[in-house]
Amino acid sequence: TLTAGMAAFEVKVLKGKGRAAIATKALKPGQELLREAPLAQTVTREGLGELCANCFTLSKALKRCVACKVLSYCSVSCQKQDWKNGHKAECKLMQAHGGMAAPSVLILARLLKGLEQDAKGKASKPFIAETDALCGIPVPASHIQESRGFMEVAMATHKFLNPAMTLPEMMMQQAEGETAWQQTLTMVGKMKCNAFNVPFYDLSNSAGVALYSKLSVLNHSCDPNATVSFLGALAVLRVIKPIKAGEEITINYKGPATPLVQRKMRLYSTYGFECKCPRCVHETAEGELTLSAVCPEPSCSHPVLYSNRGHYNQEEEKYDPANISLRDCASGHIAKLSPEARREYLDRVQRAIRQCSAPPSFATLKTVLKTLCPFNAEVASFGDALSDYLISQKQFRLGMEAALLVMPYYEKVMSDVDANTAVQLLRVGKLLAYAGQFDAVPPLYIRAKKILDLVEPKESQLHHMLQRLMEPL
């Protein structure tokens, strides 16, 4: 499904980038450019029983597929549509395997079955034409850190599609380079490069995984000028910064608040390129707020930035603070420290980073904030986890205080072009209202509305949530 905004950009091939979406005219923030239904999609395990497997609508009246008893639907029409789009073949395979497979496996299985049906002229969508248009990483690729993971996904998909196939038979197909195996590898590379994680409407978790052929032309920037939001499984492309005619339209593949080392490693391991956007160049040279500590000079308001390059634990998604290096603050106070004082300060920073991996507690958060800045990514993650825990224990006032302590992270790092900031503002506003601090609530909701007007379509659930919250005010 396309909107009239599709005429606002064209696809060109750029040197060193490949395909790119180039604006054909000046575009304004908040402008909608594209709506697209997925070529293939599947719910995650978190979405099972909560969301319609076809449109990703959240519903309490879902009906399960009577055959596989895995996927659920909000209506008969959605069930029929999904049956045509891939569940017909998938249903029998789920029964053979005894339930749900990994989302990446199910997406690939749908693509491969769709290609098979399209070759016979029986597909519900133009799978061959749309998958041919997708760019992808060759698999295996020795320069890609996740190449082994790509191969594992390919093998799991091949096994899912061929339940009776033994491992020796599969290994023989690989060795002989059979067409079916090569096609699976090709689709793995394309799926990994182009699939979107579709969040729940409140951005709390991944609801599903989906592949969009037209959105696949969008390249990455850590400081993008457009964003993709979702109405269920329907993807919506919107402008978040002014774009000039002839300028490339970009989105962020990994989220705006992801620290430099983490996002560069993920971009390279998943997509095979090293990001050299202006933001990455600046943060490499100047440092980043997401890795920041409080200056040891009490009167100084400038953060001390630290780097931890090469010491990021991908499995635990945590920084190893054993070998961090400090960048001085704007006032140069670190350079004035004695070697002993510098070592003591560095030890304090390392201890504080480790404390952010401890079980959440209010005392620990306050202790950490004596050393690390509130807009530090580790502190924000710890504070959010603590706030969630306190709210689950119905300690709403303490939950509000924890959320307020890390609010600078959303103000300085997340900025006003990200829906996550709006969600945090709504969350804090609800807690303030519960605490009776009604005068402090409207400014938060007004700011949240400005963000949502920019990044979300009017019919989104976040807009409806905001309207409900603002009515009593």
Side-chain angles (χ1 to χ4, degrees):
T1 304
L2 303 180
T3 66
M6 184 63 180
F9 69 87
E10 60 184 347
V11 179
K12 291 185 176 181
V13 177
L14 300 183
K15 185 177 180 180
K17 279 193 170 184
R19 295 184 309 158
I22 306 299
T24 57
K25 58 185 178 182
L27 304 173
K28 297 179 180 180
Q31 188 172 343
E32 186 176 301
L33 302 183
L34 171 70
R35 290 190 177 197
E36 185 180 7
L39 175 63
Q41 87 285 344
T42 185
V43 293
T44 58
R45 292 187 186 278
E46 292 81 4
L48 281 179
E50 301 284 333
L51 302 169
C52 172
N54 182 62
C55 66
F56 290 2
T57 295
L58 185 67
S59 173
K60 294 181 179 179
L62 298 175
K63 301 294 183 181
R64 280 198 306 178
C65 172
V66 295
C68 68
K69 295 180 173 59
V70 176
L71 301 186
S72 302
Y73 300 93
C74 65
S75 65
V76 173
S77 61
C78 266
Q79 185 171 14
K80 288 181 177 179
Q81 186 178 357
D82 198 48
W83 186 259
K84 292 178 182 178
N85 291 345
H87 190 55
K88 181 178 181 179
E90 176 186 80
C91 188
K92 294 178 180 179
L93 294 169
M94 283 183 169
Q95 294 174 59
H97 289 278
M100 182 77 169
S104 55
V105 170
L106 294 177
I107 284 279
L108 283 167
R110 287 197 170 203
L111 287 175
L112 292 166
K113 284 294 184 181
L115 289 170
E116 181 182 307
Q117 291 298 308
D118 201 6
K120 298 176 182 177
K122 298 180 179 179
S124 61
K125 299 179 181 180
F127 281 94
I128 294 175
E130 297 208 13
T131 55
D132 282 349
L134 298 175
C135 293
I137 294 176
V139 181
S142 58
H143 68 289
I144 303 299
Q145 293 179 22
E146 288 188 3
S147 184
R148 180 179 175 183
F150 285 18
M151 294 292 285
E152 289 173 351
V153 171
M155 291 182 70
T157 305
H158 218 52
K159 179 63 177 175
F160 180 77
L161 291 170
N162 304 279
M165 182 177 288
T166 63
L167 183 60
E169 290 173 336
M170 192 182 302
M171 298 299 288
M172 186 175 294
Q173 276 197 4
Q174 292 181 43
E176 295 176 355
E178 288 195 15
T179 303
W181 176 250
Q182 291 302 319
Q183 188 180 48
T184 302
L185 290 179
T186 299
M187 287 299 108
V188 169
K190 292 191 175 190
M191 183 273 295
K192 283 288 188 178
C193 279
N194 297 288
F196 282 80
N197 278 313
V198 181
F200 280 91
Y201 77 93
D202 60 357
L203 312 183
S204 60
N205 214 331
S206 175
V209 178
L211 193 65
Y212 302 89
S213 59
K214 294 176 179 64
L215 288 176
S216 69
V217 303
L218 297 168
N219 287 322
H220 166 83
S221 173
C222 298
D223 187 20
N225 52 28
T227 188
V228 176
S229 56
F230 297 91
L231 293 171
L234 186 70
V236 182
L237 177 65
R238 295 174 68 87
V239 179
I240 57 175
K241 294 179 181 178
I243 302 175
K244 298 177 182 178
E247 185 179 348
E248 183 181 5
I249 300 170
T250 57
I251 60 174
N252 193 316
Y253 290 177
K254 292 298 179 183
T258 309
L260 177 68
V261 176
Q262 181 180 347
R263 69 174 185 263
K264 286 178 79 74
M265 289 177 69
R266 286 182 175 180
L267 288 168
Y268 187 78
S269 64
T270 306
Y271 304 101
F273 69 86
E274 181 181 356
C275 187
K276 296 181 180 179
C277 72
R279 179 182 167 190
C280 282
V281 172
H282 172 78
E283 290 183 355
T284 299
E286 304 295 332
E288 53 183 326
L289 284 174
T290 52
L291 300 177
S292 56
V294 177
C295 181
E297 172 55 51
S299 62
C300 181
S301 61
H302 297 293
V304 174
L305 306 180
Y306 62 87
S307 61
N308 205 9
R309 310 192 192 292
H311 297 282
Y312 181 77
N313 187 320
Q314 286 183 297
E315 291 184 1
E316 297 181 6
E317 295 194 347
K318 288 287 183 182
Y319 285 98
D320 173 11
N323 292 291
I324 66 172
S325 59
L326 298 175
R327 294 172 180 264
D328 213 339
C329 67
S331 301
H333 288 122
I334 298 297
K336 299 172 185 176
L337 294 176
S338 67
E340 293 78 12
R342 184 184 176 91
R343 182 70 254 172
E344 181 185 349
Y345 175 75
L346 184 59
D347 287 344
R348 276 200 291 130
V349 172
Q350 291 172 334
R351 284 197 301 272
I353 297 171
R354 289 192 186 95
Q355 283 180 295
C356 290
S357 300
S361 77
F362 210 87
T364 302
L365 178 60
K366 288 199 168 184
T367 300
V368 165
L369 283 171
K370 293 178 181 178
T371 303
L372 301 180
C373 294
F375 32 82
N376 185 300
E378 298 282 336
V379 176
S381 177
F382 185 84
D384 284 344
L386 173 60
S387 181
D388 287 341
Y389 170 74
L390 291 170
I391 291 169
S392 72
Q393 299 299 306
K394 303 195 182 304
Q395 298 182 48
F396 299 111
R397 190 175 294 275
L398 283 177
M400 175 194 69
E401 290 182 22
L404 286 172
L405 285 173
V406 296
M407 197 65 202
Y409 170 79
Y410 291 90
E411 294 171 338
K412 288 183 175 289
V413 178
M414 298 299 288
S415 76
D416 282 355
V417 293
D418 190 277
N420 286 284
T421 306
V423 169
Q424 184 71 357
L425 289 166
L426 296 178
R427 181 181 185 220
V428 173
K430 287 164 63 178
L431 291 169
L432 286 170
Y434 176 84
Q437 300 182 34
F438 299 108
D439 291 344
V441 176
L444 297 180
Y445 287 173
I446 290 170
R447 185 180 163 203
K449 185 178 186 306
K450 288 182 179 179
I451 297 172
L452 294 179
D453 286 344
L454 183 68
V455 303
E456 290 278 326
K458 287 292 184 184
E459 61 267 47
S460 75
Q461 288 296 318
L462 285 176
H463 270 294
H464 294 320
M465 180 194 297
L466 176 61
Q467 289 173 0
R468 290 194 299 270
L469 291 172
M470 292 185 75
E471 280 175 2
L473 304 175

